[in-house]
Every structure is written in C-alpha cells, then in structure tokens.
Amino acid sequence: MTADKPRVFVSRKIPDAGLEPLRRRCDVTMWPHERPPTADELIAACRGMDALVCLLTEKIDAGVLAAAPTLKIVANVAVGFDNLDIDAGTAAGVIMTNTPGVLDDTTADLAFALLMAAARRLPEGDRLVRSGRWDGWGIMQLLGHDVHHGRLGIVGFGRIGRGVARRARGFEMKVSYHDAQRVPADVEREFGATYLPFEELLAESDFVSVHVPLTPETHHLIDRRALKRMKPTAVLINTSRGPVIDESALVDALRERVIAAAGLDVYEHEPKLAAGLADVPNVVLLPHIGSASFATRGKMAQIAAENVIALFDGKTPPTALNPQVLASQRPS
Ligand code: GLV
C-alpha cells in the first residue's frame, strides 16, 4: 500500500479484467461479502475513499456523497444508471460513469432467449420432464406461439433495441419500434423497422420487448391500461428495468390471460417479486442476467476501471455521464 495511491472502494467482487488494472494503479479495498453493502455500510466504506466502483444495487445519492466528501468519481459497473443521482454528483463535484456499448449484444441475446422461452414455454417443458410426470409425446402438449414471422414491437430503439431487431430478421419477423424520438429513415431501413405510435405498437404486436432506460417518464410505461391494449396472444419481454412495468398489473394480466405470457429479467422491487408473480405458470423469470456472460461482465469491469484510472491520470473518464464536473473537480 502506497500513501499517494488513490484509494478506491469496490462494492463487490468484480471480474479481474477490472480489478487487476485498479490494483496496479490504486489502493483497492473490496467489499468482502457476496451480499451488497447496506446503505450505512456503503457510507462507512466510502469514507476517506477517492473513488467508488459500484454495482446497480447501490443507490448513490446526495446523502452518500455528503457522507463521503473525498470521493471524486463513482464508476457504475452497468449501463443503466438509475441508481445514480447524476445531479447530486454534479452538484457535489463527483464524476459519475457507466459502461455503455459493451453489453448490447449480450443483452439482446438474452431478450431473444426470453422471448423464445416464453413463447414456446421452455421452462414449463423443462419442469415437466424433470418432474417425472411426462408420459410421452402429446399432440396438444405445451402448445405455444410461433416466433418466426411474428410481429415484434420494440419499445426503446437504442443500441439494445436495435440488437433485438437485428436478431428478429433471422426469424423473418415484422419489426416495428416506438421511441421518444423517431430515428432517421436510413436507420429504419438498416434494421427493417417501422415506427409506430406506442398505442398502435401495443395493439399490433405479437411480441413486445422493452428497452428503455428507467426515468420518471418511463416508470410504469407498461401499466394496466397498456397491458389491456395488447393482444391476448401477446408475449411481453423486459430486460431493461423492472419499474418500467407495473408488476402487480402484469400478474393480474397473466392470470386473467389479458396477455399470453411474459419473460422478465428485471423486477420492480428487485430482488423481491410482486405478490403472485412466482405462481403464474405463463411467465419466465430470470435473475437480472442480461449482461451476464464472462466476456461482457469482464468488459464492463474493465471500463469502470478505465474511467477511474483516467481520472487519476488527469484525463477525462471515457464514459463520464457528467464530464462538466471536471472543470470544477473537488480538490484532492
Ligand atoms: C444491467 O442491467 C446494466 O444496466 O448494465
């Protein structure tokens, strides 16, 4: 340990691709437990630290920043940053960073896997075979919905949404999208995607896949009313953030067959599930593993480390969310 090395708190064990460069350049303290630190434990651990490398399970707000006045950078190992209060960071002179660009394909893969699993009832089939109750091939057994040639509606046409559109081409799906902003015509052509107003997209799609960031505007974007707009044969997929869907309304919609099925990787109150969600058979539930491949999680950790190291090398962190802070950075 060298006194003049920047002090970094890493809030969970992260892949070596991020940890090793951090350890070479900084004095690293790592949270030793599997579970996330509580808010109080996080604050205690951040005292005297120059940098925090955190996960999406850590909420970094004005309170944490005020309690850790030596912090200069918070590097989130995630692309979504609804757990960070960017305005509070800017006000406190703390740079905040995320990990864009490296997890798009991995997350689009998972969205497509969920879509197929929910449409073709893969977990139900798996449970049946394992239970020993499967008594052989049945012509009416576990009938699902065709993915090929289906109508896919993508809500949020950013990098991940576009990745899903690209995959849908292989299944000869008819792709439409909705986004706050319509993309240029050449991008629509490139992805073979047609713009639709939100309500129309809900009403016309066989599959609705959600890829918006969580903001006050997208909170409960898919609510009871939106679910009612969907086809009774529709399948809803969410790999973005849980609170984008009203989860209790979804439980009712799945129970009452307002829609046919859903595939979820994220939840409104993670890791808790809405009452009844785990009991409905027509939903596939994953534990927020959208970006969970060895390669991608390594790249995410590496980007977080690069951001921290860049700052301490006097450079602009490459994926800073509030780079304007550098002009008024907290003195060391
Ligand atoms: C994962 O959900 C991420 O935002 O990176």
Side-chain angles (χ1 to χ4, degrees), residues 219-224 227 236 238 241-255 259 262 264-278 280 283 285-286:
H219 182 265
H220 282 193
L221 180 67
I222 308 282
D223 58 6
R224 210 169 284 276
L227 289 160
L236 174 65
N238 190 13
R241 284 292 183 267
V244 173
I245 295 180
D246 177 343
E247 205 168 291
S248 300
L250 177 62
V251 173
D252 292 342
L254 289 166
R255 270 195 193 132
I259 64 170
L264 305 177
D265 187 40
V266 288
Y267 304 90
E268 192 165 351
H269 302 289
E270 271 177 44
K272 291 202 178 85
L273 305 187
L277 185 63
V280 283
V283 64
L285 304 173
L286 298 181

Side-chain angles (χ1 to χ4, degrees), residues 133-152:
R133 285 184 287 101
W134 183 47
D135 52 10
W137 189 85
I139 193 158
M140 299 301 284
Q141 203 170 63
L142 284 176
L143 306 186
H145 298 273
D146 278 328
V147 173
H148 68 86
H149 297 96
R151 297 172 78 103
L152 170 64

Side-chain angles (χ1 to χ4, degrees), residues 125-306:
D126 180 82
R127 288 195 289 270
L128 177 63
V129 174
R130 286 172 197 274
S131 72
R133 285 184 287 101
W134 183 47
D135 52 10
W137 189 85
I139 193 158
M140 299 301 284
Q141 203 170 63
L142 284 176
L143 306 186
H145 298 273
D146 278 328
V147 173
H148 68 86
H149 297 96
R151 297 172 78 103
L152 170 64
I154 297 176
V155 181
F157 207 50
R159 289 181 305 259
I160 299 173
R162 292 176 200 195
V164 173
R166 220 181 280 116
R167 283 154 181 75
R169 282 192 150 182
F171 287 79
E172 300 178 76
M173 298 178 90
K174 189 169 179 338
V175 178
S176 46
Y177 75 95
H178 178 79
D179 202 291
Q181 264 184 321
R182 190 169 173 168
V183 303
D186 59 319
V187 178
E188 290 186 355
R189 267 195 304 279
E190 181 188 341
F191 291 92
T194 310
Y195 174 84
L196 282 182
F198 184 52
E199 302 280 315
E200 258 176 71
L201 177 139
L202 293 176
E204 290 183 10
S205 300
D206 300 311
F207 301 92
V208 173
S209 192
V210 181
H211 301 283
V212 290
L214 175 61
T215 64
E217 291 72 37
T218 62
H219 182 265
H220 282 193
L221 180 67
I222 308 282
D223 58 6
R224 210 169 284 276
R225 209 183 63 86
L227 289 160
K228 287 217 170 82
R229 292 284 297 175
M230 292 171 65
K231 294 181 182 179
T233 49
V235 175
L236 174 65
I237 304 300
N238 190 13
T239 52
S240 63
R241 284 292 183 267
V244 173
I245 295 180
D246 177 343
E247 205 168 291
S248 300
L250 177 62
V251 173
D252 292 342
L254 289 166
R255 270 195 193 132
E256 293 157 20
R257 304 283 164 161
V258 172
I259 64 170
L264 305 177
D265 187 40
V266 288
Y267 304 90
E268 192 165 351
H269 302 289
E270 271 177 44
K272 291 202 178 85
L273 305 187
L277 185 63
D279 303 321
V280 283
N282 49 339
V283 64
V284 181
L285 304 173
L286 298 181
H288 202 152
I289 54 169
S291 60
S293 73
F294 290 107
T296 294
R297 287 281 165 86
K299 285 182 202 155
M300 290 164 69
Q302 189 183 339
I303 290 182
E306 281 166 8

